Amino acid sequence: MRPARWTLWMMCSMQLTIILTITSTILRLPEAHNGPRNAHEMAAEYMNFDWEYAQTPLQSSIFATARNSNFTFEPDTGGFSHDNMLSIDQRGYKMFIQQEAESFLKPQQLRLNTLVDSVEWSASGVKAVFSDGSSISADYAICTFSLGVLKNDDVKFEPDFPNYKTEAVATMTMGTYTKIYLQFPQKFWFDTEFALYADSERGRYPVWQSLDKEGFLPGSGIILVTVTGDYSERIEALSDTEVKEETMSVLRTMYPNITIPEPLDFKFHRWFNDPLYRGSFSNWPPSFVSQHHDNLRANVGRLYFAGEATSQNYYGYLHGAYFEGRDIANVVAKCVNGDSCVSLRRYEKY
């Protein structure tokens, strides 16, 4: 995390406002026997871990998390940058994909608004069957469904995956990361970029971020709060009205001396229940070992797999998905061109 100034609200008998200066970018993991002891410590731990990985430290592999963090944030160990920045470019990430695709993809090679019902795979080819009954066949195919879709059986694979593949899909976990946006007539909150709300319930609307700030969207009246993991799944079971009421209750606790109006707009996406995603991004749990990951990445017949979840160093990140797509595409290109087509490493017994 880049150095920043924060505002912290401590949930107790009286409201405290504490300014913290964060000067370290090193990911610190709590010792199993010495976890957070109060609301303040829970909020700090949440910001340092859950806010990045969408699950708790106890739900995550210490070794995989350290590697993942170092390869992304620590330049001295192979990472890109200490900075962790929010993109406000209104073109969105799709711009990268669209501009790259324009260099080679023809309109007749692309099918949009088409749902896949089933995928038939074998040693001789792959066939995708769509919800409208049509299908397309190929000598080779790359599957980039999210791990959440694979875990939820939204798409039928025929024949079923071998046991080693099924186990790998079942063992890797999918985190849910929810940003809840509220827009007000005018800003009434903190002047820092972030604020932490420390509640006695861990993960209850803890990380607040102002977009009404120089360098973001000044004058927008927009503030957002992030929840993750089990709490994200909880709020997805509520109505929009119920979630809005909860977030407004927290804001009014944070600012008891301000009459806060109802928001002009309110929005969040239900990633966990979205059948195209079934979550936000993958996480490496304590029980998941490197052989599991090789099996998750391994092809079955002529069907190959790519995505952020198949990246050992960058799982959970956009660059992980990009690198994996590029690498697997190169593997399949060699197969198509008749150049040393190989099956990826897998462990049927270990």
Side-chain angles (χ1 to χ4, degrees), residues 38 66 127 131 136 173 229 241 288 305:
N38 54 48
K127 179 181 179 181
S131 58
I136 187 171
T173 56
T241 299
F288 201 68
F305 297 83

Side-chain angles (χ1 to χ4, degrees), residues 114-326:
T114 304
L115 292 176
V116 178
D117 269 356
S118 64
V119 177
E120 301 170 12
W121 61 272
S122 70
S124 58
V126 181
K127 179 181 179 181
V129 180
F130 306 123
S131 58
D132 62 4
S134 63
S135 65
I136 187 171
S137 298
D139 293 332
Y140 298 89
I142 302 174
C143 174
T144 59
F145 296 144
S146 78
L147 174 68
V149 170
L150 295 179
K151 292 173 73 69
N152 278 272
D153 297 325
D154 288 296
V155 178
K156 173 68 176 175
F157 289 88
E158 301 174 352
D160 291 339
F161 286 156
N163 289 338
Y164 68 85
K165 187 79 172 180
T166 300
E167 180 188 34
V169 170
T171 308
M172 188 78 163
T173 56
M174 191 73 172
T176 304
Y177 197 99
T178 308
K179 294 180 179 180
I180 305 169
Y181 294 84
L182 301 97
Q183 185 175 31
F184 294 91
Q186 62 184 19
K187 176 181 174 182
F188 58 82
W189 50 84
F190 48 91
D191 292 324
T192 52
E193 181 181 346
F194 289 94
L196 288 183
Y197 173 71
D199 192 271
S200 57
E201 180 181 1
R202 190 183 186 281
R204 183 173 181 266
Y205 304 107
V207 181
W208 293 77
Q209 185 171 1
S210 175
L211 296 187
D212 193 336
K213 182 175 174 59
E214 195 65 36
F216 292 91
L217 301 172
S220 65
I222 297 175
I223 187 172
L224 71 94
V225 59
T226 299
V227 297
T228 59
D230 296 339
Y231 209 88
S232 285
E233 295 179 24
R234 171 195 170 273
I235 69 167
E236 287 197 24
L238 304 177
S239 67
D240 282 9
T241 299
E242 289 172 316
V243 177
K244 182 170 68 173
E245 288 175 352
E246 289 190 353
T247 57
M248 290 298 294
S249 173
V250 171
L251 276 176
R252 286 166 177 149
T253 299
M254 292 164 65
Y255 294 97
N257 298 321
I258 297 177
T259 300
I260 301 176
E262 287 298 304
L264 301 173
D265 204 0
F266 171 86
K267 184 177 180 62
F268 74 98
H269 190 79
R270 288 173 164 81
W271 295 108
F272 180 71
N273 285 299
D274 190 325
L276 299 182
Y277 302 95
R278 300 298 187 189
S280 302
F281 48 80
S282 66
N283 188 40
W284 194 306
S287 61
F288 201 68
V289 296
S290 60
Q291 290 90 341
H292 281 136
H293 196 266
D294 285 333
N295 289 346
L296 179 66
R297 194 172 188 260
N299 59 294
V300 290
R302 290 190 170 188
L303 178 62
Y304 288 75
F305 297 83
E308 53 82 16
T310 65
S311 174
Q312 186 173 76
N313 293 332
Y314 306 115
Y315 63 88
Y317 289 107
L318 178 68
H319 47 281
Y322 181 87
F323 292 150
E324 282 295 286
R326 180 196 62 189

Side-chain angles (χ1 to χ4, degrees), residues 92-118:
Y93 282 127
K94 67 179 185 295
M95 180 196 67
F96 296 111
I97 307 301
Q98 290 173 339
Q99 291 197 343
E100 186 167 355
E102 286 176 0
S103 66
F104 66 91
L105 191 65
K106 298 178 175 60
Q108 63 268 27
Q109 295 174 311
L110 181 65
R111 292 193 59 166
L112 299 174
N113 301 314
T114 304
L115 292 176
V116 178
D117 269 356
S118 64

